Amino acid sequence: MPSSAAKMHSSSPATKALRDQVLKYARERMELDPAPLDGPQTLKYLQEHASGTISETGLGGTKALKVFEEVLAPACISTDHPGYLSFIPTAPTEAATLFDLVVSATSVYGGSWLEGSGAVFAENEVLAWLAKEVGLPKSSGGVFVQGGSLGNLSALVTARHTAIQERKKNKKKMPKRWSIIASKESHSSLKAAARVMDIDVITADVDAEGRLRGKAVLAAAKKAGKGLFAVVATAGTTNFGIVDRLDEVGKAAKELGVWYHIDGAYGLAGILDQNSKKLFKGSKYADSFIVDPHKWLFTPFDCCALVYRNPKLASAAHTQHGEYLDTLTDGGEFNPSDYAYNLTRRARGLPLWFSLATYGVAAYRKAVADNINVAHKIAEVIRKREDLKLVREPELSIVVFEKKGWQLADYEAWSDRILKQGLGFVTPSSHLGKPNARFAIVNPRTDVKLLTQIIDSMDQK
Ligand SMILES: *Cc1c(COP(=O)(O)O)cnc(C)c1O
């Protein structure tokens, strides 16, 4: 082993050549404008074309890269393609993608101040900026975690831990079951978090526009009983991009004396658009919030900003103690790992930091506003077409519409066809059991012309 281990880390001519090859590949991928959309392959195809890469001797970098370039990469949809409109796409800036390479190349450890103070400082600058935009005080803080699901879970764990501590302090009885309130339109990750935590989700009704309101929270609280410890509002639902009434929900949470969490994984980025800012009125009441920069803040996967009004409550809930960790946890310094369910962590906030530092916040405001404008313009096009119907008026950058007379099979056939053509990736969605088409627009390269082309393609065979 020593000889091959040394080979893996040395700067031999072969390693230098590989470095050039891989960086060249990365550069060429980044220079494609856009990269081909590509698409999934069958397991059988991949077994035939890419099996046997793991062996005692290895293929050598050149061959392994060739397998990736020719077989594996084309079997992955380009999520940053302007025609990728399903789920929530991603559209990292050039600076953010480049810096993601640097985060790897420098082996920065992002879990503790001792090891990564410089990176932690820069990440915290970004979190402080986000907190300010949302209206939280300077004393707030948090951590970049892998995704919104982990962000929501970590926030709710903190909320429950705080509720337990308060009940202990006040010598109150513990409830039989713990519960949270969230709306019908809230994200599936809340139910997933509830399963992990063994708590109940009390579902609150939404109004005609799909928004959670204060009254519905208070009504749901009656069903929740004594174990209610948090209310979750969604700032931009994943299906429609609808923002709950954050002010009313926040006030209701205060009235109930429970934690107020805002799930803004997709939509909270919309607060950067001056015209949309009013939708987020009341965000300042949050005890915690999340926003996924890998969704709508132009950052590579995977990146979720989790911010707490009082970060001490989070470290009390999450800090891991162990003999080998005491030197980190006893110092009183800011260790990002202490603020979520994680320990070892990539400094995944650094690409966003570098990108913000490079382009400035105003460029972000404009990019988000442009996406919203494109969404509203294509909604106008849809409104004018007799064969199409908007399911709801768009609020942020998600547009959902039906084609009259179409069944699920029609949407599926169309979706498959345009993916094969490399035009777009629009998987069917549904509302109240009725299938529809959904555009989630977070890519500055997605324009009205392309979206119109995609709509027109519904009539082609
Ligand atoms: C996407 C999303 C999540 C989950 O985030 P991941 O990063 O996919 O884990 C949670 N809440 C909302 C509202 C979302 O849109």
Side-chain angles (χ1 to χ4, degrees):
M1 281 309 280
S3 65
S4 50
K7 204 165 80 187
M8 291 195 323
H9 290 89
S10 77
S11 284
S12 68
T15 310
K16 278 193 186 134
L18 184 60
R19 194 181 297 153
D20 289 341
Q21 280 174 41
V22 171
L23 290 176
K24 178 168 170 279
Y25 173 78
R27 182 184 304 121
E28 285 174 1
R29 170 61 175 79
M30 289 185 71
E31 280 169 358
L32 295 172
D33 186 19
L37 187 56
D38 294 329
Q41 283 293 357
T42 61
L43 178 61
K44 187 164 172 280
Y45 170 89
L46 291 170
Q47 280 168 340
E48 277 167 13
H49 293 84
S51 283
T53 51
I54 308 303
S55 65
E56 289 296 326
T57 51
L59 292 180
T62 304
K63 267 197 191 153
L65 182 61
K66 199 166 138 74
V67 174
F68 183 75
E69 194 170 347
E70 293 178 2
V71 184
L72 303 176
C76 300
I77 301 183
S78 298
T79 54
D80 55 354
H81 187 284
Y84 186 119
L85 301 160
S86 295
F87 315 115
I88 307 282
T90 195
T93 65
E94 290 281 310
T97 300
L98 287 168
F99 219 69
D100 204 49
L101 300 175
V102 172
V103 172
S104 289
T106 50
S107 301
V108 171
Y109 179 71
S112 74
W113 187 265
L114 175 68
E115 291 151 287
S117 61
V120 174
F121 176 80
E123 286 189 312
N124 287 351
E125 292 280 290
V126 179
L127 293 173
W129 165 67
L130 286 169
K132 191 166 162 230
E133 291 290 333
V134 175
L136 263 61
K138 274 210 167 112
S139 51
S140 61
V143 55
F144 286 97
V145 295
Q146 169 263 330
S149 302
L150 190 57
N152 282 336
L153 173 67
S154 298
L156 292 174
V157 166
T158 299
R160 182 173 60 180
H161 186 263
T162 304
I164 291 173
Q165 296 311 108
E166 274 167 8
R167 280 172 177 70
K168 276 188 187 158
K169 208 172 91 194
N170 300 321
K171 301 206 161 46
K172 275 200 190 157
K173 259 183 35 193
M174 294 296 158
K176 279 209 186 80
R177 298 282 303 166
W178 293 101
S179 62
I180 61 167
I181 291 174
S183 96
K184 269 186 181 149
E185 304 262 340
S186 65
H187 191 263
S188 53
S189 58
L190 295 175
K191 286 205 182 109
R195 282 198 298 275
V196 174
M197 295 172 71
D198 191 25
I199 61 171
D200 299 320
V201 181
I202 311 296
T203 308
D205 288 329
V206 290
D207 68 9
E209 289 167 323
R211 261 180 252 285
L212 179 61
R213 311 286 302 260
K215 269 192 191 149
V217 171
L218 297 177
K222 296 212 176 89
K223 290 183 268 171
K226 293 211 164 73
L228 179 70
F229 69 91
V231 175
V232 181
T234 309
T237 59
T238 323
N239 283 333
F240 289 104
I242 302 291
V243 183
D244 288 342
R245 281 294 298 265
L246 303 182
D247 49 351
E248 290 185 9
V249 178
K251 282 177 193 159
K254 296 293 141 217
E255 199 178 316
L256 295 165
V258 300
W259 189 277
Y260 180 33
H261 176 65
I262 296 179
D263 176 359
Y266 149 68
L268 194 48
I271 205 168
L272 297 180
D273 168 31
Q274 282 312 314
N275 292 326
S276 304
K277 202 172 166 67
K278 56 184 179 293
L279 293 171
F280 300 89
K281 204 175 124 223
S283 60
K284 65 176 181 196
Y285 297 121
D287 292 301
S288 56
F289 72 83
I290 62 156
V291 57
D292 275 2
H294 66 215
K295 283 183 171 167
W296 201 12
L297 286 172
F298 318 110
T299 302
F301 299 132
D302 41 26
C303 189
C304 164
L306 163 61
V307 176
Y308 301 94
R309 171 178 300 273
N310 180 356
K312 284 206 176 76
L313 300 175
S315 59
H318 288 288
T319 302
Q320 297 188 23
H321 297 278
E323 285 165 341
Y324 85 106
L325 294 171
D326 286 348
T327 176
L328 298 178
T329 46
D330 291 349
E333 272 145 351
F334 190 94
N335 300 316
S337 295
D338 294 348
Y339 298 86
Y341 183 70
N342 61 180
L343 186 58
T344 296
R345 66 176 291 276
R346 177 178 179 81
R348 57 170 64 78
L350 275 186
L352 175 57
W353 164 78
F354 184 70
S355 185
L356 281 165
T358 299
Y359 303 120
V361 170
Y364 276 71
R365 295 191 197 286
K366 181 167 183 327
V368 168
D370 285 352
N371 287 149
I372 294 173
N373 284 337
V374 167
H376 287 259
K377 278 192 186 138
I378 198 63
E380 191 55 42
V381 172
I382 291 166
R383 215 176 279 117
K384 285 190 184 136
R385 300 239 178 149
E386 281 192 357
D387 57 327
L388 302 178
K389 183 172 156 274
L390 283 174
V391 177
R392 259 185 198 156
E393 285 302 314
E395 192 154 277
L396 297 174
S397 69
I398 294 175
V399 184
V400 184
F401 60 100
E402 294 168 2
K403 177 140 172 102
K404 290 180 189 159
W406 269 28
Q407 310 298 322
L408 181 59
D410 298 303
Y411 289 99
E412 282 172 348
W414 165 65
S415 176
D416 289 348
R417 194 173 73 234
I418 62 171
L419 178 61
K420 281 209 182 83
Q421 288 167 355
L423 179 63
F425 180 54
V426 187
T427 53
S429 184
S430 71
H431 182 58
L432 304 174
K434 262 183 100 179
N436 58 42
R438 175 177 163 281
F439 293 163
I441 303 159
V442 299
N443 189 330
R445 288 180 170 125
T446 305
D447 56 16
V448 177
K449 188 171 159 233
L450 174 63
L451 294 172
T452 308
Q453 235 181 316
I454 290 174
I455 287 173
D456 289 342
S457 73
M458 294 177 113
D459 291 319
Q460 291 147 16
K461 282 280 165 257

